[in-house]
Amino acid sequence: MFNKVLIANRGEIALRIVRACRELGVASVAVYSDADASAPHAREADEAVNIGPAPSRESYLRADKLIEAAKRTGAQAIHPGYGFLSEREHFARAVVEAGLVFIGPPASAIAAVGSKTAARALAATANVPVVPGTTEPLRDASEAESVAKSLGYPVLLKASAGGGGKGMRIVHSAAELASALASAKREAMTSFGDDAVYVEKYIAGPRHVEIQVLGDMHGTMHSLGERECSIQRRHQKMIEEAPSVAVTPELRKKMGDTAVRMAKAAGYVNAGTCEFLLAADGNFYFLEMNTRLQVEHPVTELVSGLDLVQWQLRIAAGERLPTAPMMTEPRGWAIECRITSEDAGNDFLPSTGTISFLRVPGGPGVRWDGGVGAGSEIGLHYDPLLGKLIVWAGTRDEAIARMRRALLELTIVGVETSRDFHLRVMDDVEFQRGAIDIQWLERRLPSLTAGGSTPDGEIAVAIAAALLAESERAGRLAASNGAGGTANGASSHDAWRDAGIRDGLRRR
Ligand code: ADP
């Protein structure tokens, strides 16, 4: 195993990797931009290195600075997390050329599936079903028109280099095609520096179901079951669960074998994910392969009992995976809610400010993978993900009830968050029945976001205000006593009662 690993990322995922390192007895080196000097990930790691100004392209996207920091601190390996440079072939290559280990797949595997068109072409050779469409970028609008006509509308234009739903356009008729193609190309160029766009059939009402794979350097590759990621807004995941209500043991095996076949065709090593669309008729189609740890990896960890980040380190250090299946059937049910600094009641407008108060949920079956603390400044430089709330329970119904309870305990003051939105999803009868597909959330949004924050949200703010007032009172008391005393139990009790909220909480 490595002695020291540098983590080329920030926020919750950097902290997640620090924790895995610590449990393995590996020292961790965090990197931070000027905006993150006092961020939890930088504080929690064993060492921390400043890599430049707040904009990512001057810090977290600077391969040269990251590699230099690793060498200077004596780290032997670099974990890229997700986002930033995690799926850049050139970074994986540069790390290895610098004599360090890249904790992820070889650069050649990233190249093999890095573009969606290359991945589709490879899938075809590996007998992996893909959504009908092209495997080459479109030359021009007239080619797009003839392909779209043969596929039948609606079709989906997609950026070959795509990610995060960027450069994607649904086209319902030939009349819309040329302008949609031009705008998809423009967006692809701005987002990825590559305007290649291809076309595929737009599948109505499928689920997004993805398979986690884990492969070692010695030829062993396992599938670790599925994640249901259909709760999406603008093609971005918001809630994930494992397993999926739509996946039977037979389908799990079939999708798992397909994912392993795809990963092997790419020469894949380490943790990766094959994304599929699962149609209502049970057919599934390969979408893309993500060559990194996924945001939603914890739901797989909770139903498999495996620590994926620890396995990433162990695989990168050359360890062998067991040859017997690492996971047969999922145990229980796990759900993850992405808690972002966005105002769901206001079209998910990013919210900025300082977190003045943070209460993290606890109790049975609750996990909080967070990247912020009280005092954290939430700006616009980075992704709005504040943390992930993940729960585990024996059944899906119990997991939903547990998530609801945990969301009620989660209190974040200082920025708007998506917490109340998640509560409403948990309370939705269709969600509770598992009757979801990738368009479900967009259809349901008007009713899920109507009427501003929920009473629960108001209660949370009242609790926070009461606790803040209480700590200020305690501070004043301590100052007047000339001692560093803290609040006693009785006055804390008063603060809650003063806010008139205890009954409100109990009733719900
Ligand atoms: P990105 O890499 O930009 O996230 P993906 O190919 O992973 O793009 O697709 C993102 C989401 O868009 C999917 O999870 C799914 O909800 C939707 N989507 C993608 N392809 C199709 C398709 N052919 N038909 C219908 N929906 C699709």
Side-chain angles (χ1 to χ4, degrees):
M1 184 42 71
F2 310 111
N3 296 321
K4 198 187 268 192
V5 165
L6 179 129
I7 302 160
N9 216 299
R10 64 179 299 283
E12 70 86 19
I13 197 59
L15 205 48
R16 167 75 188 86
I17 300 163
V18 169
R19 287 173 168 147
C21 287
R22 196 153 286 154
E23 289 178 20
L24 287 171
V26 175
S28 55
V29 183
V31 294
Y32 63 93
S33 71
D34 295 344
D36 279 339
S38 58
H41 80 274
R43 281 204 312 265
E44 286 294 323
D46 296 313
E47 289 170 63
V49 179
N50 180 299
I51 47 160
S56 317
R57 63 177 184 284
E58 294 173 50
S59 48
Y60 297 105
L61 288 173
R62 284 285 300 269
D64 56 341
K65 288 189 182 178
L66 295 163
I67 290 169
E68 206 270 318
K71 298 200 103 163
R72 187 151 40 87
T73 53
Q76 297 143 308
I78 296 186
H79 194 307
Y82 55 68
F84 295 128
L85 294 172
S86 61
E87 293 185 281
R88 301 281 176 84
E89 179 196 347
H90 76 83
F91 183 57
R93 208 178 294 284
V95 169
V96 173
E97 279 167 5
L100 303 163
V101 175
F102 181 73
I103 302 177
S108 57
I110 300 179
V113 292
S115 96
K116 289 186 203 283
T117 38
R120 284 165 62 80
L122 185 68
T125 68
N127 195 22
V128 170
V130 296
V131 182
T134 57
T135 47
E136 293 289 329
L138 293 163
R139 282 189 304 272
D140 51 32
S142 78
E143 189 194 7
E145 261 174 51
S146 69
V147 180
K149 196 169 168 208
S150 67
L151 291 172
Y153 289 92
V155 296
L156 190 61
L157 297 173
K158 278 186 167 181
S160 300
K166 297 248 170 62
M168 218 185 270
R169 297 285 182 281
I170 303 172
V171 183
H172 296 275
S173 71
E176 300 166 18
L177 194 59
S179 71
L181 180 64
S183 87
K185 275 178 163 296
R186 264 197 312 276
E187 189 169 301
M189 193 63 189
T190 349
S191 306
F192 315 111
D194 174 355
D195 75 347
V197 167
Y198 71 102
V199 63
E200 61 186 39
K201 176 84 188 141
Y202 182 73
I203 314 266
R207 291 167 182 265
H208 174 120
V209 175
E210 59 186 32
I211 302 283
Q212 176 73 52
V213 297
L214 202 56
D216 67 16
M217 293 173 187
H218 315 284
T220 301
M221 176 85 63
H222 293 289
S223 71
L224 302 178
E226 80 281 9
R227 290 183 287 260
E228 159 76 69
C229 310
S230 296
I231 305 292
Q232 301 183 357
R233 178 177 169 270
R234 299 193 175 159
H235 309 299
Q236 301 249 46
K237 301 163 188 163
M238 301 191 75
I239 298 175
E240 302 94 346
E241 44 185 308
S244 163
V245 292
V247 175
T248 59
E250 295 72 42
L251 183 57
R252 179 169 301 123
K253 169 98 176 58
K254 200 168 160 195
M255 293 182 82
D257 290 348
T258 307
V260 165
R261 216 161 51 237
M262 182 68 201
K264 283 189 168 166
Y268 204 83
V269 174
N270 215 293
T273 296
C274 285
E275 297 189 331
F276 296 96
L277 289 180
L278 174 61
D281 62 8
N283 284 318
F284 58 88
Y285 307 92
F286 171 79
L287 269 184
E288 65 168 345
M289 184 158 187
N290 288 323
T291 57
R292 54 166 163 84
L293 188 67
Q294 299 276 91
V295 177
E296 58 273 22
H297 75 277
V299 292
T300 299
E301 295 190 318
L302 294 181
V303 297
S304 68
L306 299 167
D307 187 309
L308 290 177
V309 182
Q310 287 192 18
W311 271 114
Q312 284 195 293
L313 268 78
R314 293 163 71 170
I315 289 168
E319 205 173 303
R320 280 174 189 276
L321 288 171
T323 46
M326 292 178 78
M327 180 192 183
T328 42
E329 286 297 293
R331 186 180 148 268
W333 213 280
I335 304 180
E336 171 181 285
C337 288
R338 299 189 185 193
I339 308 295
T340 57
S341 51
E342 292 174 311
D343 184 358
N346 195 3
D347 202 26
F348 290 85
L349 199 72
S351 171
T352 59
T354 305
I355 295 183
S356 53
F357 180 83
L358 174 71
R359 184 175 67 148
V360 166
V366 175
R367 168 170 164 183
W368 169 253
D369 277 19
V372 295
S376 291
E377 296 276 346
I378 309 303
L380 292 172
H381 283 295
Y382 311 115
D383 189 275
L385 186 67
L386 300 173
K388 304 176 312 205
L389 182 55
I390 313 115
V391 300
W392 181 91
T395 65
R396 186 167 187 269
D397 286 347
E398 288 164 359
I400 292 172
R402 183 161 279 168
M403 179 59 87
R404 195 177 181 286
R405 186 270 292 172
L407 284 164
L408 282 171
E409 288 179 15
L410 174 67
T411 310
I412 301 175
V413 180
V415 288
E416 295 291 338
T417 77
S418 57
R419 190 201 81 133
D420 292 354
F421 159 79
H422 286 290
L423 266 173
R424 288 175 179 220
V425 176
M426 294 304 129
D427 283 342
D428 187 284
V429 287
E430 287 183 8
F431 175 76
Q432 289 170 356
R433 279 209 316 273
I436 50 171
D437 60 46
I438 58 171
Q439 284 110 28
W440 179 83
L441 185 62
E442 304 263 0
R443 280 198 305 273
R444 207 75 172 165
L445 262 184
S447 62
L448 286 169
T449 53
S453 69
T454 62
D456 301 313
E458 285 152 25
I459 290 168
V461 171
I463 292 174
L467 291 173
L468 272 178
E470 169 57 27
S471 69
E472 274 167 21
R473 223 176 9 241
R476 275 200 303 277
L477 197 68
S480 68
N481 286 347
T486 51
N488 63 35
S491 60
S492 159
H493 177 93
D494 288 346
W496 283 63
R497 201 184 48 213
D498 289 350
I501 48 172
R502 305 193 87 208
D503 289 346
L505 254 188
R506 245 195 234 125
R507 257 200 314 273
R508 294 193 62 88

